[in-house]
Amino acid sequence: MKQCVVQITVLVVLAGAYVAAQQPSARPKDSGLVLHVTTRMVVVDTVVLDKEGRPVKGLKADDFTVTEDGVRQRIASFSERISESANAAAPPVLPPHVTTNRPAVTQANAEEGTVAVLLLDGLNTPPQDQIYVKQQMLKFLARQYDPHTKLAVIALTNKLTVLQNFTQDPLLLRAALDRYLAETPALARSGGQMETPSASVPAPNVNLPAQATGGPTGSGPDPGLPATLAAGGSNASIFEDIAYMMDRFQRESENFSRDTRISATLSALEEIGRFMSGQSGRKVLLWFSTGFPFSVVGDSPSAMEAERDYSDQIRRTINLLNDAHVATYTIDAGGLVPSSLGDPSLSGRDSEGKVHLGIDANRALSSESFQRFSTHDALEIIARDTGGRYFGNANDLDHAIDSALRESSCYYMLGYYPSNKKWGGKFRQIKLQVDRPGVQLRYRRGYFAVNPSDWRKDNGERTLTAALTGSPLPSTEVTFMARVLPPLPDSDTVVEFAVDPSTLSFDTEAGNYHHSALQFEVRAFDSEGKLVKAEVQTAEASLPEPTYERVSKQGLPMSVPIRLAPGKYLLRLGVRDNATGLFGTADLAVDVPAKRESKR
C-alpha cells in the first residue's frame, strides 16, 4: 500500500458541472460534538411525551432546564423538529462514473419524514424467534405503516446484510422481509467462527477474586482444579483429570464464542450509527433481539474464570450512537419466555414422579434467572442511554414499532457549551427537565468528555481501513462526492474527491486561515473481491478566507491516482478527518481498458 503526504496550497475546483449540480443546499449536519477553535457544543435531541405517550409540541427554550453533572447549563441553541410528510419519489440519478455517500443526494426527500432502521438480529436470536419477528414486522407493514416514514431493513448474522435500503414503498419492504430466512450463524454457535482470529476480539474485563489465581495467565492453580490433580502424584484420578480438562475446554469455548458474538454485535451497531450519522436530526434504530449479557458471573469456583464484564465496550458503542443522534429502541424478540422452573419437561421429577431438586438444580435456576435479567439489562441500558425505549416481554411487536416511530415524529434539539472546559475523558451526566407536569422525556443520559484528538487510541487508525475492507454500509460521518473518469490505456486511474466542508473540523489560524487535515484512501478489489491495490494520501489544507468561502459552497477537492492493470474493479473510497477521526466511505465501479495494439 502506497502512502504519501500532499500539502494543499492552491485549490483548483474540480472540472465539470457535476459538483455544482449535485450540491443541493441543505442545513449543516447536526453533530453530537460540534467542533470550533476552542469551544465545543453538546447537542441533545429529546422527545417530550404526555401521559398518553403522545409528543408534546410547541415548547420553548425557557421551558427546559439542562444540567451537566448537577451544574446548570445555558442553552445556546434550540429548535423544534416536526417530521414533515415526504411524498414518495425516486432518488436522484447520479451522472456516470460518480458516487457519493451524501444522504441529500442518494435519497429522495432526505430532510423530510422520520428515518428508521429495522435491525433483525439473527446473531443473538434463536431461529424460532426470528420467524416470529418477521411475522410481526409483516403485520406492521400491512396494518400501520406510514408511507411518509423512510425505513431500511438490515439483518445481522455472521455479517451485516442490507435487505432494503431506505424507502417509502411498503411493497419493497415486504419483499425484503419475504427474502429473509432465519438461521443460526456460526458466530452464535459454541466455539465461535473459525475464520475469526482471537486477536480481533476485544478482551473483556475478567473478574476473579484474589484467591482465584488460576487460568491461562495465572500463576497458581485453577480454582476448578480437582484437589488430587492439583496435588499431583500417582494418586491423581485419571477420570478427574479428563473431566476437568473437558470442563475447562467447554468453558473456554463458550467464552470465546460469547466474546466474539458480543464484539461483532457492538461493531455492527457502530457501523449502523456511522451509516445513519449523515441524516439530519434524530434517527431511530429498531433493534429486534433477545440480546446478550451485560456481564457474566460465575456461580461456582470452576466458573469464576468465565466471568466477564462488557460494560466498557457497550458504553463506547452508546457514545458513538449518541454522537450520531441515533435513538435505539430495543425490542425483546423472545416475547414472554418462561424460565425452566415453569417448564413441565424440566420439573425436577424423575420417571417415577419423584422430585429431585438439590443444590445443582437451585444453582442452575439461579444462574438462568441472573443471566436473563443481565441480558435484559443490556438491552434496557442501551435503549435508555441513547434516548430510546426498551420493549421487554412484548408479544405485540408491531405496536412497539408504531410507538417508536410515533414518538420520534416530534422532538427538540438543544445545544449548550459545557461550563466544564476540561476534556479528560470522564463520563458527564446530562439531565433535562421540562416545566410541564406529568410529562416524560427521552434523551441521551450523558457523554464521555473525550478530546477528539485522542481518537487514535484503541487502534483508531485501523477503523477506516476495516470499514473499507468489510463493512457493507457506507459511513456518512464525513460526506463527499467522487468521480472516476474512464482512464486512458496504460495510465493512472484518477479519483477526484469533493468533500463536504460542513462535515469537517477547521481550526482558525493566525491571519484568518482555516486549517484541516484529511486522509484519503482508495482500495481496489477485483471481480472476486480480492484486494489488489491501495493508495493513501494525507492532505494538509490551510485556506485563506476567500478560498474557504468558495470551498464551503463547492467542496474541498482532492485527486488520488492509482495505477491498475486492465480489468473491472470495485473502488472503495474513504475520507477521514484527522482532527476528529470521523470518516466517510463510498463505492464506485471502474473499468480499466487494455492497451490497444498498434497496427502495422
Side-chain angles (χ1 to χ4, degrees):
M1 180 174 67
K2 182 180 178 182
Q3 180 170 347
C4 60
V5 178
V6 177
Q7 183 73 27
I8 300 178
T9 56
V10 179
L11 291 173
V12 180
V13 179
L14 290 178
Y18 84 93
V19 174
Q22 297 296 331
Q23 196 84 8
S25 59
R27 56 175 176 262
K29 181 188 78 170
D30 295 307
S31 174
L33 208 59
V34 179
L35 303 178
H36 296 281
V37 182
T38 56
T39 58
R40 299 166 189 160
M41 178 183 286
V42 176
V43 182
V44 183
D45 58 87
T46 178
V47 171
V48 183
L49 305 173
D50 61 18
K51 296 180 180 179
E52 286 72 34
R54 296 171 300 192
V56 177
K57 302 179 181 180
L59 298 177
K60 306 300 181 184
D62 294 340
D63 296 320
F64 289 83
T65 299
V66 184
T67 61
E68 182 180 286
D69 287 343
V71 179
R72 185 165 182 172
Q73 306 294 314
R74 187 181 70 85
I75 297 176
S77 66
F78 178 86
S79 63
E80 180 180 10
R81 305 288 181 88
I82 299 176
S83 296
E84 302 175 357
S85 297
N87 296 323
V93 178
L94 290 173
H97 316 299
V98 174
T99 187
T100 183
N101 64 345
R102 296 191 60 189
V105 177
T106 59
Q107 299 176 25
N109 307 306
E111 302 296 330
E112 301 173 348
T114 302
V115 177
V117 166
L118 306 180
L119 176 61
L120 305 178
D121 185 357
L123 185 57
N124 300 284
T125 306
Q128 63 272 19
D129 293 330
Q130 296 178 47
I131 295 173
Y132 171 67
V133 169
K134 176 178 175 179
Q135 293 171 343
Q136 290 292 304
M137 293 177 68
L138 290 172
K139 177 182 176 182
F140 163 75
L141 293 175
R143 294 185 180 182
Q144 303 180 31
Y145 177 64
D146 180 1
H148 298 145
T149 300
K150 289 171 291 186
L151 296 178
V153 183
I154 299 176
L156 171 60
T157 52
N158 285 335
K159 61 180 180 179
L160 281 176
T161 302
V162 180
L163 301 179
Q164 175 59 54
N165 212 323
F166 289 109
T167 181
Q168 298 164 262
D169 189 343
L171 296 179
L172 292 177
L173 294 168
R174 292 182 65 180
L177 289 172
D178 284 336
R179 293 194 301 268
Y180 176 72
L181 299 176
E183 61 176 295
T184 302
L187 286 176
R189 304 184 194 120
S190 179
Q193 188 182 36
M194 293 301 295
E195 61 267 28
T196 303
S198 57
S200 67
V201 181
N205 295 326
V206 181
N207 302 319
L208 290 176
Q211 66 272 22
T213 57
T217 60
S219 58
D222 188 288
L225 195 67
T228 54
L229 185 60
S234 59
N235 293 329
S237 170
I238 186 63
F239 298 105
E240 284 186 329
D241 296 357
I242 295 174
Y244 164 74
M245 296 305 298
M246 290 180 63
D247 179 66
R248 173 71 175 269
F249 175 79
Q250 178 66 24
R251 284 189 279 122
E252 290 180 350
S253 176
E254 292 175 353
N255 290 345
F256 179 79
S257 177
R258 187 191 308 110
D259 294 347
T260 305
R261 175 167 55 90
I262 293 177
S263 176
T265 303
L266 295 177
S267 295
L269 293 178
E270 293 176 8
E271 289 180 33
I272 293 173
R274 294 188 180 99
F275 171 57
M276 302 181 74
S277 178
Q279 299 277 359
S280 176
R282 174 187 172 95
K283 285 80 66 174
V284 176
L285 171 59
L286 290 149
W287 178 21
F288 302 87
S289 176
T290 53
F292 52 80
F294 193 87
S295 60
V296 178
V297 177
D299 55 2
S300 66
S302 63
M304 286 181 180
E305 192 179 334
E307 293 191 354
R308 293 290 192 271
D309 184 359
Y310 302 100
S311 58
D312 288 343
Q313 299 176 48
I314 292 174
R315 291 191 181 98
R316 181 191 63 190
T317 301
I318 289 174
N319 207 51
L320 188 147
L321 292 171
N322 281 332
D323 286 345
H325 292 282
V326 177
T328 306
Y329 288 76
T330 54
I331 303 173
D332 184 5
L336 297 172
V337 180
S339 68
S340 58
L341 186 63
D343 189 343
S345 65
L346 301 173
S347 62
R349 297 179 182 271
D350 59 18
S351 58
E352 299 178 358
K354 296 181 180 180
V355 178
H356 297 278
L357 288 177
I359 187 172
D360 291 336
N362 290 332
R363 184 175 290 167
L365 289 173
S366 175
S367 176
E368 177 187 345
S369 298
F370 180 84
Q371 294 305 328
R372 182 184 297 108
F373 284 120
S374 178
T375 297
H376 290 180
D377 280 348
L379 293 175
E380 188 171 3
I381 288 171
I382 292 174
R384 181 197 65 198
D385 289 357
T386 58
R389 178 182 174 188
Y390 169 58
F391 294 90
N393 294 332
N395 281 328
D396 194 5
L397 296 188
D398 66 317
H399 172 71
I401 302 173
D402 182 64
S403 298
L405 296 178
R406 184 177 64 251
E407 287 183 3
S408 300
S409 63
C410 175
Y411 60 93
Y412 300 88
M413 299 291 290
L414 299 86
Y416 67 92
Y417 295 101
S419 56
N420 184 357
K421 306 300 182 183
K422 297 181 180 180
W423 300 87
K426 293 184 178 180
F427 183 80
R428 298 182 181 180
Q429 185 178 34
I430 298 174
K431 186 175 182 180
L432 297 185
Q433 293 179 317
V434 175
D435 189 18
R436 292 287 179 91
V439 299
Q440 54 180 321
L441 307 180
R442 306 202 195 284
Y443 60 93
R444 61 190 294 187
R445 299 296 171 171
Y447 68 100
F448 288 93
V450 178
N451 191 321
S453 62
D454 293 338
W455 63 268
R456 288 180 173 84
K457 295 181 179 179
D458 300 325
N459 294 322
E461 285 276 5
R462 299 172 54 187
T463 309
L464 173 58
T465 300
L468 291 175
T469 302
S471 176
L473 299 176
S475 172
T476 60
E477 292 176 328
V478 173
T479 58
F480 61 89
M481 301 191 71
R483 180 179 67 174
V484 179
L485 296 179
L488 296 175
D490 197 26
S491 63
D492 288 344
T493 299
V494 180
V495 182
E496 298 175 318
F497 290 88
V499 186
D500 183 358
S502 69
T503 61
L504 301 176
S505 60
F506 285 87
D507 289 332
T508 302
E509 301 174 332
N512 204 24
Y513 276 74
H514 301 270
H515 178 268
S516 67
L518 305 177
Q519 179 163 307
F520 297 82
E521 188 164 344
V522 178
R523 301 177 74 83
F525 296 84
D526 62 17
S527 57
E528 297 179 354
K530 180 181 178 181
L531 176 66
V532 295
K533 198 167 186 180
E535 288 285 345
V536 176
Q537 288 193 4
T538 302
E540 299 281 344
S542 188
L543 314 178
E545 186 65 29
T547 306
Y548 176 75
E549 292 295 331
R550 185 167 70 252
V551 166
S552 298
K553 299 177 181 178
Q554 298 177 329
L556 181 66
M558 182 68 184
S559 296
V560 178
I562 182 171
R563 178 58 66 96
L564 298 172
K568 297 181 182 295
Y569 300 92
L570 175 66
L571 300 184
R572 306 210 69 185
L573 315 176
V575 180
R576 183 175 66 205
D577 185 343
N578 280 341
T580 64
L582 302 179
F583 62 86
T585 61
D587 295 347
L588 184 61
V590 63
D591 188 0
V592 178
K595 185 177 180 180
R596 296 179 181 178
E597 296 183 1
S598 59
K599 296 182 179 180
R600 294 182 179 179

